Amino acid sequence: MKPTEFVKVNSQFWGEHLKSVSEHLPGSHGRELVGPLLYPRQLVLTETPDWNILELVGVTREFRSLDVRRQKAAGIDEYFGAAKDQAGTVVALRNDDRYQDATIATEYGRSALDSRYPSAERIIGRELVGTGESKLLSFSPGNYTTLQRVLLASSVESSVRVRWTFLAIAIHRSEPADKYRQYLQQLVNEAAHLDPVGTLAVPRGQVEELLKAEPFAATYQHGLHKTTVGEFLQQHEEILLSAFSATQLVREPVLEAADGTSVTPDFILEREDGSHIIGDLALPLLETGKDGKKRRRSTTAQDGVARLTQYGEYFTNAENQAFAKTKYNVEVTDPRKLLVLATSETTTEPGVELVDYDTILRLALAAK
């Protein structure tokens, strides 16, 4: 199937399917649902040399026509967070493998969910955990793989990549369009009537009030290119606090050192247990220069990781720790280093965490 065919089939199929669900289910079966039904906001279609990948991302309370984004990736392993030349596999995928409401993780990645992401406990579901330095997924030519509401936690040594998938489907590029469409139709036909493919029902109660807030009106990825770092942090403070069990968010602190230099992370989070997370936000946000003009950030995972290393080194100095305490009232000694990104990039830098915007949103929902 050519990339243009892949785009056409998915745009038409998912638009019709989700629109039909939104017009029928909440009205006729609203009382039978556990709570409000959420829909994806964006259709991300990725072309690799051998595979086509569909992913539905974002969250919206009311169904809207899906935004379509096309992109290319070096390979399917890289797309799903495997480091180059990483050996071993947690799950070997074969013909028509489907995983729903599950967690696929390396041993270290799974332990990180317990210690660093408390709300993840509510979305773990079925567990598939590997041993050693394994990549999560191994794909075989000719197969169809579907991940629906699956949490992926990969790792290389002490670096961790956490990613929640609303819906992802990978198919080999040799598959024809008509066969793929038949597969999609079978997928939605076999789903439980009250749990349609491509949707997420969240419990009624406090979360229902949160869904009315503006941050939940669109996916993080949708419209980010119009937002500065400061604006993003201000608009999404409650989400960040909830996702990381934090009590305080320090936005864009200027941390001066004794030698006259300074570092400026995007944020510091103080958690309920007294620990801290120091973090940066990668593309596609804007940043404000010294001249007051807004420019697109050129932050890749590699750039972000390099800056995180600087932040970690800053807090190894007692004088620097005292400065942060005096200026921002945070006692930071050994912070977690976090990069929030909107891509499938990964890293092998020890002690670094990579989390995408949509996963943070899911963790925040799970925390309520």
Side-chain angles (χ1 to χ4, degrees), residues 257-272:
D259 61 4
T261 62
S262 64
V263 294
T264 308
D266 287 339
F267 62 87
I268 297 175
L269 281 168
E270 184 169 76
R271 301 183 69 220
E272 293 174 352

Side-chain angles (χ1 to χ4, degrees), residues 93 131-132 140 180 285 291 297 328:
L93 301 164
T131 58
S140 303
Y180 174 59
L285 293 165
D291 57 4
R297 302 190 77 174
Y328 296 107

Side-chain angles (χ1 to χ4, degrees), residues 130-205:
T131 58
E133 294 294 328
S134 301
K135 64 181 181 181
L136 298 185
L137 307 169
S138 177
F139 295 84
S140 303
N143 79 332
Y144 286 76
T145 297
T146 297
L147 305 176
Q148 184 179 5
R149 303 188 302 245
V150 172
L151 186 61
L152 304 172
S154 57
S155 63
V156 178
E157 295 183 356
S158 60
S159 66
V160 179
R161 174 72 166 93
V162 180
R163 178 178 178 182
W164 183 77
T165 60
F166 199 151
L167 177 70
I169 299 176
I171 66 164
H172 200 265
R173 289 185 59 181
S174 61
E175 294 298 291
D178 57 345
K179 186 176 178 182
Y180 174 59
R181 186 176 180 86
Q182 290 173 9
Y183 173 81
L184 294 179
Q185 192 62 57
Q186 180 185 23
L187 190 69
V188 301
N189 288 346
E190 293 178 357
H193 184 62
L194 297 179
D195 188 18
V197 176
T199 66
L200 170 68
V202 293
R204 292 183 177 86

Side-chain angles (χ1 to χ4, degrees), residues 98-120:
R98 307 181 191 183
Y99 293 90
Q100 179 175 333
D101 297 317
T103 293
I104 302 175
T106 60
E107 208 167 32
Y108 186 86
R110 180 64 183 86
S111 66
L113 293 178
D114 282 336
S115 60
R116 306 177 194 182
Y117 302 91
S119 62

Side-chain angles (χ1 to χ4, degrees), residues 1 24 32 183 214 253:
M1 187 185 341
H24 164 67
E32 300 171 60
Y183 173 81
E214 181 60 28

Side-chain angles (χ1 to χ4, degrees), residues 203-262:
R204 292 183 177 86
Q206 185 180 5
V207 73
E208 196 162 15
E209 292 302 312
L210 285 174
L211 289 172
K212 297 177 182 178
E214 181 60 28
F216 289 97
T219 171
Y220 278 138
Q221 293 187 15
H222 179 65
L224 265 187
H225 62 284
K226 301 176 183 177
T227 306
T228 65
V229 172
E231 290 168 342
F232 176 87
L233 292 170
Q234 186 175 25
Q235 294 167 8
H236 300 82
E237 179 172 350
E238 179 60 31
I239 295 173
L240 289 165
L241 293 176
S242 296
F244 294 99
S245 299
T247 56
Q248 180 183 2
L249 171 67
V250 180
R251 298 193 292 267
E252 299 182 284
V254 179
L255 303 172
E256 300 172 14
D259 61 4
T261 62
S262 64

